Amino acid sequence: MLNVAPEQDILNPPAPSVGVEQAEAALVEHYPRLVRLAYLVLPPSLGRNRRVVTAHAIVQRSLPRGRSGTGDGPDDGLIPGARRAEAGGGPGYVYVRRRVVRQALEAGLPLRRRAWPKRAQFPPLLPQVWGLRLFPRSGGADELALDQRLSALSGPARAAYVLRGLERLGDDEVCAELNAAGVTEARKALTEADATETQAGLLESAEFDPCSLQARPTDLMRRRQHSRAALAAVAALVVCGALIGLPGDGWGPDGAAAPPYTQNPAAQAALDPGHLLRVEPMAWTTATRTDFSVWPARGDLLGDAGLLRRALAVWARPGGSVQVSATPGTPSGPPMGAPQLLFAGVVDRAKVVLLYDGLRVARYAEPRDGTAGAALDFARVDAADASSASALVVGRTDGNVRYLTAPWVRQVSVRDLLTPDAAARPLHRDEDGVTDPVVSPAQARQCTSWEALEFHDDSGVRLVTDLGELAPARLTWGPPHDPHDVGDRSAREGWARTACLLPTVRTHGVRSVNNWQFAQQALPENNGTADWICTRAETWRGAGGRVFAQFQAPSAKLAPGAIAARAENSAACGIREARVLAGVLWKSRGGNWFVLAAGSEQVSSVALSGGMTGSGRGNLLAVRAKEGARAELNGRLSDGTAISSLR
């Protein structure tokens, strides 16, 4: 039976100390990852709001105090000389991670009368949030069950579980990290963690992401019981009364919007439905640009001035009851001027308005009866073109999604990526271009199918998929300098084995995802031929791209590929750096282990070091190894330039 280790084990050289600049760079680069780590290690008894704030505070105060890593503990400045590549990007990251784990464990210690209290045991001074409770987005039943199991573990055991599941550390490495964090019985903590099944994928879900948050008001009744809160409430009532007394319609027509805070003429003009930009139905046929700016206004509620006014008012100043979300890098402030109206109509059980201001698309939704439970979503869509402006999500209900398609889309069909040989089925649209509901794979708990959409227009057929955002992501195939639409059998088979890995780039503002087969390798002992695929997700904001290299061993059932390596904010497999090198530890059908490595065509030689030796000319390498072997993978390009493995 063929087994593949999901990620390559890499050894980095030892570093005796860490400078403050190096630690700061690692903290900034891996900030979301470190905050997630702190949040998971912190005791759940703190409550979700305090865990979020404390996690951010812990990471923000994890820099060295001097010019090198000599922090609170005796081991803070010591960096391990051997660790997996996925456990961090360098000594700076490992140093900061140790500080984070130490403080997160200290935060769970009870205050004792005779012991000097630790800084982490007190509520953080910064950051502070007043009047709001912050907590990550809710996950499914699996995430809830995992959170309950983690809450039953001790602090060291919870840290061991997270270091092993989230950071991909081996048992010895976990013990080393726990010892460095001041845990005296690391092996005992590891044994306790073994009782809980490791589910690394769940640890990376939105349920445990303290950087993607929802906001709710605090206990309003309790706040009224405090004298200072009462005085503030009186002052707020006086101010609001003065604003309501000003000329205008007051609170009524604004629905869920908060009280006005400005009477700026430009801001007031942006709130007037009469100033909304409306494009003629056929303007796109003669315009020099083909993007959202030439979409006509559509929907059966274009004349509902009250709905449009509420949508504009909530965009300008969303009230505390409004659920607001935005893709990474998307500002959620009011428009600079009157935006363009794309859609206003009833979708399923909601009234929906889509607006566009040249940088962002805003989706306002409220129930058909009343304004309670209004929602406002933002997505950045600047520099869109005909391929990336083909559709927008207009509604989500019961795990299904509906799209509003561009006026140049002639036909829409649905294709299951997991069955590449099956024909696509047509998808009906109404007269406004709104599709029938389609099952959204972005929120599915199990990857048994992955329904993507094909948009047919005069230039061809484009494949897109829902990744939980307003704008669907385009899927392409081919080398970075020439990606093309998914049309032939090899491209569809490659995506059939990649689709179930797409949740790793979900809700990150992804604009497009490209699959590039950068190498093929004949496996030792006549085990067939494996494909090496590099998958790169580009974002609308340009930065923050995610890359992972796949090892796709022969599989009659087109099983998902194994992630050999991954990186964030990397130029690898992109137009700026169209090259890659990755490796895996692989077991043959005969039970023998091998280190396999592959690089793109520019790689002229590959070598192993750091515990293993082996080298070869060309871009492929296969070296006999032992189970659990670790090595550092390096190579050279045809011009002599050194290249390291993706990390």
Side-chain angles (χ1 to χ4, degrees):
M1 182 175 180
L2 186 65
N3 294 317
V4 178
E7 300 187 14
Q8 170 70 6
D9 287 318
I10 303 296
L11 291 177
N12 292 323
S17 62
V18 176
V20 66
E21 295 85 2
Q22 187 178 6
E24 182 181 16
L27 188 151
V28 173
E29 180 182 0
H30 300 287
Y31 185 84
R33 180 174 170 183
L34 291 165
V35 176
R36 183 189 292 266
L37 174 64
Y39 180 85
L40 286 164
V41 176
L42 284 169
S45 59
L46 293 179
R48 300 177 75 188
N49 178 75
R50 184 172 171 186
R51 282 174 72 191
V52 166
V53 177
T54 303
H56 283 272
I58 284 175
V59 175
Q60 291 175 17
R61 62 175 182 240
S62 292
L63 291 177
R65 294 181 179 177
R67 303 304 297 176
S68 63
T70 57
D72 296 332
D75 297 328
D76 285 341
L78 301 179
I79 304 304
R83 61 188 175 277
R84 296 171 57 114
E86 287 301 311
Y93 174 77
V94 177
Y95 169 79
V96 175
R97 184 182 65 201
R98 285 189 172 180
R99 297 264 297 183
V100 168
V101 173
R102 174 185 288 272
Q103 294 179 79
L105 290 173
E106 291 175 349
L109 298 176
L111 288 171
R112 301 186 183 279
R113 182 174 301 177
R114 296 184 179 181
W116 188 261
K118 302 286 187 180
R119 181 182 181 185
Q121 294 175 273
F122 294 102
L125 297 177
L126 289 174
Q128 285 288 345
V129 180
W130 295 87
L132 287 176
R133 293 185 295 108
L134 301 177
F135 49 91
R137 299 177 181 179
S138 298
D142 294 336
E143 287 87 349
L144 179 61
L146 177 59
D147 192 37
Q148 292 174 344
R149 291 195 297 270
L150 290 177
S151 65
L153 297 177
S154 64
R158 193 163 50 250
Y161 182 93
V162 174
L163 287 171
R164 184 161 55 187
L166 185 65
E167 293 292 287
R168 308 292 199 275
L169 299 184
D171 290 353
D172 292 337
E173 294 166 311
V174 170
C175 289
E177 294 300 304
L178 292 179
N179 289 332
V183 176
T184 57
E185 296 181 339
R187 287 291 175 183
K188 181 179 179 181
L190 198 60
T191 302
E192 183 182 353
D194 286 336
T196 301
E197 180 183 0
T198 301
Q199 296 175 292
L202 295 182
L203 293 178
E204 297 176 351
S205 66
E207 174 77 13
F208 307 109
D209 183 7
C211 289
S212 179
L213 301 171
Q214 292 180 320
R216 293 292 185 274
T218 55
D219 190 333
L220 302 180
M221 296 301 296
R222 182 174 297 178
R223 284 162 53 182
R224 290 185 181 181
Q225 296 174 0
H226 296 81
S227 59
R228 293 184 179 180
L231 292 175
V234 171
L237 289 174
V238 172
V239 173
C240 292
L243 291 175
I244 294 175
L246 294 174
D249 294 326
W251 282 56
D254 294 345
Y261 57 84
T262 178
Q263 295 295 324
N264 180 276
Q268 291 298 313
L271 299 179
D272 186 353
H275 287 80
L276 282 172
L277 303 179
R278 302 181 186 224
V279 175
E280 294 299 323
M282 299 304 294
W284 64 273
T285 61
T286 57
T288 57
R289 296 169 54 184
T290 310
D291 57 14
F292 296 108
S293 66
V294 295
W295 275 31
R298 290 170 284 177
D300 55 356
L301 296 180
L302 294 178
D304 191 337
L307 171 64
L308 299 179
R309 176 179 175 81
R310 290 193 297 274
L312 292 170
V314 172
W315 185 354
R317 51 183 199 280
S321 63
V322 179
Q323 302 179 35
V324 181
S325 68
T327 57
T330 304
S332 58
M336 297 180 62
Q340 177 184 342
L341 177 61
L342 303 181
F343 178 85
V346 175
V347 180
D348 295 325
R349 299 185 295 272
K351 297 178 180 179
V352 177
V353 179
L354 286 179
L355 301 166
Y356 171 65
D357 69 350
L359 173 68
R360 304 162 293 174
V361 167
R363 176 184 178 271
Y364 171 79
E366 66 180 30
R368 296 184 65 173
D369 301 320
T371 60
L376 183 64
D377 304 311
F378 294 96
R380 185 170 173 174
V381 292
D382 51 318
D385 54 19
S387 61
S388 54
S390 296
L392 289 172
V393 171
V394 72
R396 292 184 186 275
T397 306
D398 301 329
N400 296 323
V401 60
R402 292 180 186 263
Y403 294 92
L404 176 67
T405 57
W408 53 83
V409 173
R410 294 185 286 103
Q411 179 184 343
V412 182
S413 53
V414 181
R415 178 179 293 278
D416 185 354
L417 294 183
L418 301 190
T419 56
D421 293 331
R425 66 180 189 274
L427 182 64
H428 174 263
R429 295 181 293 167
D430 64 17
E431 60 183 8
D432 291 321
V434 177
T435 68
D436 285 352
V438 181
V439 175
S440 171
Q443 304 296 332
R445 297 180 181 177
Q446 295 182 342
C447 189
T448 57
S449 66
W450 193 285
E451 293 195 342
L453 296 187
E454 289 184 341
F455 293 136
H456 303 247
D457 57 33
D458 293 337
S459 61
V461 180
R462 298 183 177 91
L463 185 67
V464 304
T465 189
D466 177 33
L467 291 180
E469 301 167 1
L470 284 179
R474 183 187 179 191
L475 305 181
T476 57
W477 176 272
H481 64 276
D482 187 27
H484 52 269
D485 290 306
V486 181
D488 55 32
R489 179 180 176 82
S490 62
R492 287 197 294 267
E493 287 186 352
W495 269 110
R497 306 189 65 180
T498 303
C500 291
L501 304 178
L502 284 174
T504 60
V505 298
R506 183 178 59 191
T507 65
H508 282 85
V510 174
R511 175 175 182 161
S512 62
V513 186
N514 183 57
N515 256 1
W516 170 36
Q517 181 181 296
F518 64 88
Q520 284 189 313
Q521 185 174 25
L523 297 175
E525 301 179 352
N526 297 319
N527 277 253
T529 301
D531 293 331
W532 289 87
I533 306 291
C534 192
T535 304
R536 181 176 179 87
E538 300 284 4
T539 66
W540 284 95
R541 62 190 182 276
R546 295 195 167 197
V547 185
F548 55 87
Q550 297 181 59
F551 175 76
Q552 295 185 352
S555 172
K557 296 183 179 180
L558 297 179
I563 296 181
R566 70 180 74 195
E568 298 181 27
N569 298 310
S570 171
C573 302
I575 190 66
R576 291 184 176 273
E577 193 173 306
R579 55 182 182 268
V580 65
L581 176 65
V584 294
L585 185 64
W586 170 80
K587 185 179 182 181
S588 70
R589 288 193 295 264
N592 298 316
W593 289 89
F594 294 84
V595 170
L596 304 179
S600 51
E601 61 181 2
Q602 305 95 325
V603 177
S604 61
S605 64
V606 183
L608 298 176
S609 61
M612 285 192 63
T613 58
S615 62
R617 300 187 63 82
N619 63 332
L620 302 174
L621 181 67
V623 177
R624 189 74 173 265
K626 296 181 179 180
E627 181 179 1
R630 301 173 185 174
E632 183 175 350
L633 180 62
N634 293 285
R636 288 198 175 273
L637 305 178
S638 55
D639 61 1
T641 304
I643 180 175
S644 58
S645 61
L646 181 68
R647 63 184 64 180

